[in-house]
Amino acid sequence: MAQGAVMLVPAGLMLFLGAWGIRRQDAIWRDEAVTWDMAHRSLADLWPTLQHVDVVHGLYYALMHLWFRVYEVILGGAFGDAVGLRLPSVAAMTAAAAGVALLGERLVGRRAGLLAGCTFALIPVVQQYAQEGRSYATVCALVVWAGCLLVLAAARPRRKLWLGYTALMLVACLLHEFASLALPAHGAAVVLARLPRRVFRAWLLSAFTILAGLAPLAVFSTRQSAQISWLMWPDPVQLLTFAVLAVLGVGCARVRVRSRGPIGLRALGIPLLLLPTLLLLLLSHVEPAYVDRYVLYYVVGFALLAGAALARLLRPVGEGSQTRGKRLRWAVTVVLVPVVLLPVNVHLRSPDSRVDDVTAIAHAVREVAEPGDGLLFMPSRRRIWRATLPRDFRGLRDLALAESPLASHTLYGTERPGDAIRDRMLTARRIIVAGDPDGQPADDNDQEIAKRSTLHAAFEICRTVQVRGARITVYGRPGACGGGG
């Protein structure tokens, strides 16, 4: 197999899987709506906003701002808003799959690289974030290619390789702080490979430079730690996914393979698979912080170990009946895995795969609203639901809003005091409430209490529409509901 094909086949597979169903019926979820909103602010407006909120994603928003200038101004937004949001992530995951293949080839061989890259592309969580307008796919790609440079630098220490490694990891960390958890995995690989001290010192210098470059952002972002206050405990499904991949990856590591370079497959693959997630879980005991996408690149460790194991088990061998039977069982397994995962992958391309659907919410508001109706978001952070389709909210009065998100340099705008909200609500004949579905905890601040108490005391429910991740309720003053109750 030609060397280029080792990367091209996984990259082509990832590109196909990333393009498949990328529109997701034009559904956009709330985090993507934040990306849309921030990327469409001018750089002059973006900077003061980042001083109040979301500074950890600041570089990503700036890059997406530039991307949208190209996509919308030059290309005319040819493929729609949802595609425009996700194309950079598809491109990043395509580059990541190619990098995994190259890394597998450098560590073990061409067949292992090919299978590692294809395994990476077939992992459902990889396909999920390949179709998401957030930074995680880009961070994953940068960590992968930084790993390639690390392996090259360990074999042939050169300043330009270490500079490239440092630059890629620094950009990854500036895109998302938890990319720094890949550094302990890289350090463990250097130590376990028992490389010369000068190599370890070079890596240590790179790591120090990366952390020094990240430090100002990390210190400043601690002022905005309330943004992840919603994290209470790890999601069981995410923990189960990690546990399954960890067990399978460690099992694959037991298959004996011969490494080609000074850094062995196990020395890099196992730490990359285990350490970032375990360290993030350990950190979560101090302050809840675990979400699998924060350390998405851990799946690269699994892909490398699985690809090498498959290459070993599927290698050309003699024609003994037992050997042929063993090869046949593994071949059947390789074919069946994508088939078994197909329902999961189809689900990931539906609106129901995300916690809410901003597009459906906006359309539902438009369907039930009448000109002059009042509008409330409960809680106020759900005001992000109007970011991508403001025209669907046209003609409605946002009764709680004091300053818009843009004017206040915030994500969700600022709201009036509770008494002022109550007074404005009592002037409305009908109020459209875009709120969380049943079962979600209610905020207990002055504004939210005023909204709930006033609706209960002075209004009655006319109509309720349930959409993905939201409940749209029409409230009316007594007698205002007519026949729509």
Side-chain angles (χ1 to χ4, degrees):
M1 178 181 294
Q3 185 173 3
V6 172
M7 292 189 294
L8 287 177
V9 172
L13 176 62
M14 187 70 254
L15 182 60
F16 168 76
L17 293 172
W20 168 35
I22 188 174
R23 286 186 181 275
R24 212 160 60 235
Q25 299 178 32
D26 289 326
I28 294 173
W29 78 290
R30 65 180 69 147
D31 278 13
E32 290 182 307
V34 171
T35 298
W36 172 270
D37 181 25
M38 297 291 274
H40 281 81
R41 299 187 187 191
S42 69
L43 295 180
D45 288 321
L46 182 59
W47 173 242
T49 303
L50 296 176
Q51 296 179 54
H52 291 92
V53 67
D54 246 8
V55 69
V56 293
H57 298 296
L59 177 59
Y60 176 68
Y61 293 148
L63 293 175
M64 288 297 289
H65 173 84
L66 298 176
W67 157 246
F68 276 117
R69 292 293 297 272
V70 173
Y71 180 71
E72 294 176 343
V73 176
I74 298 178
L75 300 179
F79 304 106
D81 296 345
V83 175
L85 264 175
R86 296 166 189 151
L87 275 178
S89 292
V90 173
M93 276 305 191
T94 300
V100 171
L102 179 62
L103 196 50
E105 180 189 21
R106 294 289 183 181
L107 292 173
V108 182
R110 292 185 179 180
R111 185 179 295 108
L114 176 66
L115 291 171
C118 291
T119 298
F120 175 80
L122 291 172
I123 297 173
V125 72
V126 169
Q127 297 180 42
Q128 176 181 349
Y129 290 107
Q131 295 187 339
E132 195 141 297
R134 298 297 279 173
S135 65
Y136 309 109
T138 305
V139 170
C140 184
L142 290 168
V143 171
V144 168
W145 282 95
C148 292
L149 292 180
L150 176 67
V151 170
L152 288 174
R156 295 181 298 171
R158 294 181 180 178
R159 179 175 297 181
K160 64 180 181 180
L161 293 176
W162 286 114
L163 287 175
Y165 168 79
T166 303
L168 289 181
M169 280 303 302
L170 178 58
V171 174
C173 292
L174 292 175
L175 283 169
H176 200 281
E177 293 176 0
F178 287 139
S180 59
L181 295 178
L183 290 174
H186 291 165
V190 173
V191 171
L192 291 173
R194 298 180 180 179
L195 298 172
R197 289 184 179 179
R198 60 190 177 92
V199 175
F200 178 72
R201 285 196 297 268
W203 174 83
L204 205 59
L205 177 61
S206 290
F208 177 80
T209 304
I210 293 163
L211 294 176
L214 176 63
L217 175 63
V219 171
F220 190 85
S221 67
T222 58
R223 304 178 188 177
Q224 302 176 1
S225 58
Q227 276 193 264
I228 58 172
S229 60
W230 57 273
L231 287 173
M232 298 300 294
W233 52 79
D235 183 285
V237 175
Q238 295 180 8
L239 280 180
L240 179 61
T241 300
F242 167 69
V244 169
L245 292 181
V247 170
L248 290 175
V250 172
C252 289
R254 298 185 63 183
V255 178
R256 298 182 62 181
V257 296
R258 180 178 298 176
S259 296
R260 299 177 63 179
I263 293 183
L265 171 72
R266 296 177 185 175
L268 179 61
I270 293 178
L272 193 57
L273 170 62
L274 301 178
L275 279 183
T277 300
L278 294 178
L279 289 172
L280 186 56
L281 286 171
L282 185 62
L283 177 64
S284 293
H285 283 286
V286 179
E287 181 176 348
Y290 177 77
V291 182
D292 64 347
R293 59 182 179 266
Y294 293 170
V295 286
L296 176 63
Y297 49 84
Y298 84 86
V299 300
V300 175
F302 169 77
L304 292 172
L305 295 167
L310 288 171
R312 171 74 177 177
L313 294 167
L314 296 176
R315 72 192 189 284
V317 291
E319 294 300 321
S321 59
Q322 291 184 346
T323 303
R324 287 199 303 271
K326 186 176 182 180
R327 288 179 60 192
L328 180 60
R329 287 193 298 272
W330 276 100
V332 170
T333 301
V334 171
V335 172
L336 284 180
V337 166
V339 175
V340 172
L341 293 176
L342 185 60
V344 178
N345 294 331
V346 170
H347 172 70
L348 289 175
R349 289 158 175 84
S350 72
D352 291 341
S353 64
R354 304 310 195 267
V355 298
D356 60 7
D357 181 351
V358 172
T359 305
I361 293 167
H363 290 343
V365 169
R366 183 186 62 193
E367 289 296 321
V368 302
E370 297 177 1
D373 281 350
L375 174 67
L376 290 176
F377 293 94
M378 297 176 60
S380 61
R381 58 184 174 274
R382 298 298 176 246
R383 191 168 281 106
I384 195 62
W385 286 339
R386 70 175 296 168
T388 60
L389 291 171
R391 61 182 179 273
D392 284 354
F393 296 83
R394 193 171 297 150
L396 302 180
R397 295 185 297 137
D398 194 328
L399 300 174
L401 187 65
E403 249 189 325
S404 70
L406 183 61
S408 61
H409 302 303
T410 62
L411 290 180
Y412 314 120
T414 57
E415 294 200 336
R416 303 171 187 272
D419 290 341
I421 294 174
R422 182 180 297 108
D423 292 342
R424 286 173 61 83
M425 290 175 65
L426 293 175
T427 66
R429 179 173 176 271
R430 294 192 347 148
I431 297 176
I432 311 299
V433 175
D436 284 338
D438 293 331
Q440 297 298 310
D443 288 13
D444 58 359
N445 58 56
D446 180 54
Q447 289 89 344
E448 298 303 322
I449 292 173
K451 295 174 190 176
R452 291 195 298 269
S453 61
T454 307
L455 287 172
H456 178 75
F459 292 81
E460 58 187 28
I461 295 176
C462 301
R463 181 182 178 186
T464 297
V465 178
Q466 301 284 350
V467 294
R468 178 65 181 171
R471 180 177 57 186
I472 310 303
T473 307
V474 181
Y475 285 87
R477 300 299 292 270
C481 290

